[in-house]
Amino acid sequence: MEYKFKEIHSEINIQKYLKLDGKDEFLSRAAINVLNNKRNGYSIFLNDRLFAVVDLTDGINIEFNKSIKIAEYLQFLEYLKSKGIDTFHIWDLNNLFTDLNLLLVDSVNLMQKNSSYYKNNNITKYEHFTNTEKLIKETFSDSFEVDSIEKLSHWYKELSNEPWYSKENVYIYGDIKPMAICIERPRSNKISEIFLFGLTDYAKSTGLSFDLFAYACSEISRKYNTEKHFIQLWVHSDNKSALNLYKSHNFKTIKIRNKYSVTL
């Protein structure tokens, strides 16, 4: 078989190459934004099919579209060497690289729980705040310690460019002032993803993280009149506080995306 790799440095017709039904996603949102020309990077085709996405936002990070064969991967390495690329990261959602003795540098858990639980339990109520761009940025900055105006503006621009984004899916709530921010990404009528959840400095000292997260889940669940609606979220394995919080709510890991460092 002849392997012909080709780089595309412009936006492509995603619908032609990806199944975007919101049920089972192979590529990350970062990779999707690269394909939409909303993030620094490019796509790589193999014999006219979308093969990989290269994200250049922070180093060289490569994701593969669908499962690939080892023979394709080895040919791809030769292609990268021919381009002068000898150090990069690859993301693996299907355990393709488990037995290749690569250096694991990160892993992200996809966790899930049926949202109906939050309809049938007494959940502590909080006050909502009006979702202005200014407040969203301020609450995000406070929750995730983002002080750079440039980084904050870039984050908000990328978020607002998402096709699913709406201020109606942003929840900022607390008591006398904001305590938490949650951004819901509706993926289908059966799955909502918590795209982001964070606590402000004010909230972190209260010990109310369990109740604040429960409230976010309850606000999402009440929008869906079905017993088969699920809430999903991604969390890094080394983020122990967040991982333990979600486990305390009986969220279960259903997939793991591993990140490997590769040096040719």
PDB file of all heavy atoms in Angstrom, residues 4 11 36 86 91 104 111 115 125 128 239 251 257:
ATOM      1  N   LYS A   4       0.365   8.278   1.195  1.00  0.00           N
ATOM      2  CA  LYS A   4       0.559   9.661   0.771  1.00  0.00           C
ATOM      3  C   LYS A   4      -0.046  10.593   1.814  1.00  0.00           C
ATOM      4  O   LYS A   4      -1.268  10.679   1.964  1.00  0.00           O
ATOM      5  CB  LYS A   4      -0.099   9.897  -0.589  1.00  0.00           C
ATOM      6  CG  LYS A   4       0.592   9.188  -1.745  1.00  0.00           C
ATOM      7  CD  LYS A   4      -0.052   9.567  -3.069  1.00  0.00           C
ATOM      8  CE  LYS A   4       0.669   8.923  -4.240  1.00  0.00           C
ATOM      9  NZ  LYS A   4       0.056   9.284  -5.543  1.00  0.00           N
ATOM     10  N   GLU A  11      -9.257  25.816   6.865  1.00  0.00           N
ATOM     11  CA  GLU A  11     -10.456  25.164   7.400  1.00  0.00           C
ATOM     12  C   GLU A  11     -10.952  24.092   6.437  1.00  0.00           C
ATOM     13  O   GLU A  11     -10.913  24.260   5.218  1.00  0.00           O
ATOM     14  CB  GLU A  11     -11.548  26.220   7.621  1.00  0.00           C
ATOM     15  CG  GLU A  11     -12.823  25.679   8.228  1.00  0.00           C
ATOM     16  CD  GLU A  11     -13.853  26.785   8.473  1.00  0.00           C
ATOM     17  OE1 GLU A  11     -13.512  27.964   8.245  1.00  0.00           O
ATOM     18  OE2 GLU A  11     -14.973  26.457   8.884  1.00  0.00           O
ATOM     19  N   ASN A  36     -11.497  23.852  12.401  1.00  0.00           N
ATOM     20  CA  ASN A  36     -12.326  25.017  12.066  1.00  0.00           C
ATOM     21  C   ASN A  36     -11.509  26.284  11.848  1.00  0.00           C
ATOM     22  O   ASN A  36     -12.064  27.365  11.670  1.00  0.00           O
ATOM     23  CB  ASN A  36     -13.340  25.268  13.189  1.00  0.00           C
ATOM     24  CG  ASN A  36     -14.531  24.338  13.122  1.00  0.00           C
ATOM     25  OD1 ASN A  36     -14.965  23.966  12.038  1.00  0.00           O
ATOM     26  ND2 ASN A  36     -15.055  23.945  14.275  1.00  0.00           N
ATOM     27  N   ASP A  86      10.883  15.873  15.212  1.00  0.00           N
ATOM     28  CA  ASP A  86      11.407  14.691  15.898  1.00  0.00           C
ATOM     29  C   ASP A  86      10.982  14.592  17.370  1.00  0.00           C
ATOM     30  O   ASP A  86      11.256  13.595  18.032  1.00  0.00           O
ATOM     31  CB  ASP A  86      12.933  14.639  15.802  1.00  0.00           C
ATOM     32  CG  ASP A  86      13.588  15.899  16.330  1.00  0.00           C
ATOM     33  OD1 ASP A  86      12.887  16.729  16.959  1.00  0.00           O
ATOM     34  OD2 ASP A  86      14.797  16.068  16.109  1.00  0.00           O
ATOM     35  N   TRP A  91      -1.961  12.029  21.499  1.00  0.00           N
ATOM     36  CA  TRP A  91      -3.078  11.665  22.372  1.00  0.00           C
ATOM     37  C   TRP A  91      -3.683  10.355  21.884  1.00  0.00           C
ATOM     38  O   TRP A  91      -3.880  10.168  20.689  1.00  0.00           O
ATOM     39  CB  TRP A  91      -4.144  12.755  22.357  1.00  0.00           C
ATOM     40  CG  TRP A  91      -3.778  13.971  23.159  1.00  0.00           C
ATOM     41  CD1 TRP A  91      -3.264  15.148  22.689  1.00  0.00           C
ATOM     42  CD2 TRP A  91      -3.926  14.130  24.576  1.00  0.00           C
ATOM     43  NE1 TRP A  91      -3.069  16.033  23.714  1.00  0.00           N
ATOM     44  CE2 TRP A  91      -3.472  15.436  24.890  1.00  0.00           C
ATOM     45  CE3 TRP A  91      -4.395  13.314  25.598  1.00  0.00           C
ATOM     46  CZ2 TRP A  91      -3.481  15.939  26.189  1.00  0.00           C
ATOM     47  CZ3 TRP A  91      -4.400  13.811  26.892  1.00  0.00           C
ATOM     48  CH2 TRP A  91      -3.949  15.103  27.178  1.00  0.00           C
ATOM     49  N   LEU A 104       4.473   8.160  29.170  1.00  0.00           N
ATOM     50  CA  LEU A 104       3.166   8.723  29.496  1.00  0.00           C
ATOM     51  C   LEU A 104       3.368  10.018  30.284  1.00  0.00           C
ATOM     52  O   LEU A 104       3.996  10.017  31.338  1.00  0.00           O
ATOM     53  CB  LEU A 104       2.354   7.727  30.318  1.00  0.00           C
ATOM     54  CG  LEU A 104       0.952   8.174  30.767  1.00  0.00           C
ATOM     55  CD1 LEU A 104       0.041   8.357  29.567  1.00  0.00           C
ATOM     56  CD2 LEU A 104       0.354   7.160  31.745  1.00  0.00           C
ATOM     57  N   MET A 111     -15.671  11.007  32.580  1.00  0.00           N
ATOM     58  CA  MET A 111     -16.519  10.479  33.639  1.00  0.00           C
ATOM     59  C   MET A 111     -17.986  10.766  33.328  1.00  0.00           C
ATOM     60  O   MET A 111     -18.309  11.737  32.627  1.00  0.00           O
ATOM     61  CB  MET A 111     -16.117  11.072  34.986  1.00  0.00           C
ATOM     62  CG  MET A 111     -14.638  10.906  35.311  1.00  0.00           C
ATOM     63  SD  MET A 111     -14.165  11.514  36.955  1.00  0.00           S
ATOM     64  CE  MET A 111     -14.747  10.163  37.987  1.00  0.00           C
ATOM     65  N   SER A 115     -28.133  11.945  35.082  1.00  0.00           N
ATOM     66  CA  SER A 115     -28.500  13.214  35.715  1.00  0.00           C
ATOM     67  C   SER A 115     -29.797  13.137  36.504  1.00  0.00           C
ATOM     68  O   SER A 115     -30.103  14.039  37.287  1.00  0.00           O
ATOM     69  CB  SER A 115     -28.622  14.312  34.657  1.00  0.00           C
ATOM     70  OG  SER A 115     -29.752  14.082  33.826  1.00  0.00           O
ATOM     71  N   LYS A 125     -29.869  25.396  47.234  1.00  0.00           N
ATOM     72  CA  LYS A 125     -30.103  26.383  46.194  1.00  0.00           C
ATOM     73  C   LYS A 125     -29.142  27.572  46.348  1.00  0.00           C
ATOM     74  O   LYS A 125     -28.746  27.926  47.466  1.00  0.00           O
ATOM     75  CB  LYS A 125     -31.540  26.891  46.242  1.00  0.00           C
ATOM     76  CG  LYS A 125     -32.603  25.801  46.132  1.00  0.00           C
ATOM     77  CD  LYS A 125     -32.527  25.084  44.805  1.00  0.00           C
ATOM     78  CE  LYS A 125     -33.621  24.034  44.689  1.00  0.00           C
ATOM     79  NZ  LYS A 125     -33.510  23.260  43.430  1.00  0.00           N
ATOM     80  N   HIS A 128     -28.397  33.083  41.270  1.00  0.00           N
ATOM     81  CA  HIS A 128     -27.760  33.209  39.957  1.00  0.00           C
ATOM     82  C   HIS A 128     -27.353  34.663  39.712  1.00  0.00           C
ATOM     83  O   HIS A 128     -27.999  35.596  40.179  1.00  0.00           O
ATOM     84  CB  HIS A 128     -28.728  32.763  38.851  1.00  0.00           C
ATOM     85  CG  HIS A 128     -28.789  31.289  38.670  1.00  0.00           C
ATOM     86  ND1 HIS A 128     -28.193  30.638  37.618  1.00  0.00           N
ATOM     87  CD2 HIS A 128     -29.350  30.316  39.430  1.00  0.00           C
ATOM     88  CE1 HIS A 128     -28.405  29.335  37.721  1.00  0.00           C
ATOM     89  NE2 HIS A 128     -29.123  29.118  38.815  1.00  0.00           N
ATOM     90  N   ASN A 239      -5.302  15.895  38.686  1.00  0.00           N
ATOM     91  CA  ASN A 239      -6.110  16.897  39.375  1.00  0.00           C
ATOM     92  C   ASN A 239      -6.912  16.175  40.468  1.00  0.00           C
ATOM     93  O   ASN A 239      -8.107  15.929  40.346  1.00  0.00           O
ATOM     94  CB  ASN A 239      -7.053  17.605  38.399  1.00  0.00           C
ATOM     95  CG  ASN A 239      -7.757  18.801  39.023  1.00  0.00           C
ATOM     96  OD1 ASN A 239      -7.715  19.000  40.231  1.00  0.00           O
ATOM     97  ND2 ASN A 239      -8.417  19.596  38.198  1.00  0.00           N
ATOM     98  N   PHE A 251     -19.586   9.773  39.975  1.00  0.00           N
ATOM     99  CA  PHE A 251     -19.255   9.785  38.551  1.00  0.00           C
ATOM    100  C   PHE A 251     -18.254   8.648  38.305  1.00  0.00           C
ATOM    101  O   PHE A 251     -17.329   8.452  39.091  1.00  0.00           O
ATOM    102  CB  PHE A 251     -18.647  11.121  38.138  1.00  0.00           C
ATOM    103  CG  PHE A 251     -19.654  12.160  37.765  1.00  0.00           C
ATOM    104  CD1 PHE A 251     -20.460  12.749  38.730  1.00  0.00           C
ATOM    105  CD2 PHE A 251     -19.813  12.551  36.445  1.00  0.00           C
ATOM    106  CE1 PHE A 251     -21.402  13.706  38.397  1.00  0.00           C
ATOM    107  CE2 PHE A 251     -20.758  13.511  36.089  1.00  0.00           C
ATOM    108  CZ  PHE A 251     -21.552  14.095  37.068  1.00  0.00           C
ATOM    109  N   ARG A 257      -8.133   9.171  28.047  1.00  0.00           N
ATOM    110  CA  ARG A 257      -7.325   9.665  26.927  1.00  0.00           C
ATOM    111  C   ARG A 257      -5.914   9.888  27.451  1.00  0.00           C
ATOM    112  O   ARG A 257      -5.694  10.723  28.330  1.00  0.00           O
ATOM    113  CB  ARG A 257      -7.910  10.957  26.374  1.00  0.00           C
ATOM    114  CG  ARG A 257      -7.253  11.440  25.067  1.00  0.00           C
ATOM    115  CD  ARG A 257      -7.690  12.863  24.743  1.00  0.00           C
ATOM    116  NE  ARG A 257      -9.097  12.976  24.495  1.00  0.00           N
ATOM    117  CZ  ARG A 257      -9.680  12.865  23.300  1.00  0.00           C
ATOM    118  NH1 ARG A 257      -8.911  12.606  22.245  1.00  0.00           N
ATOM    119  NH2 ARG A 257     -10.972  12.996  23.151  1.00  0.00           N
TER     120      ARG A 257
END
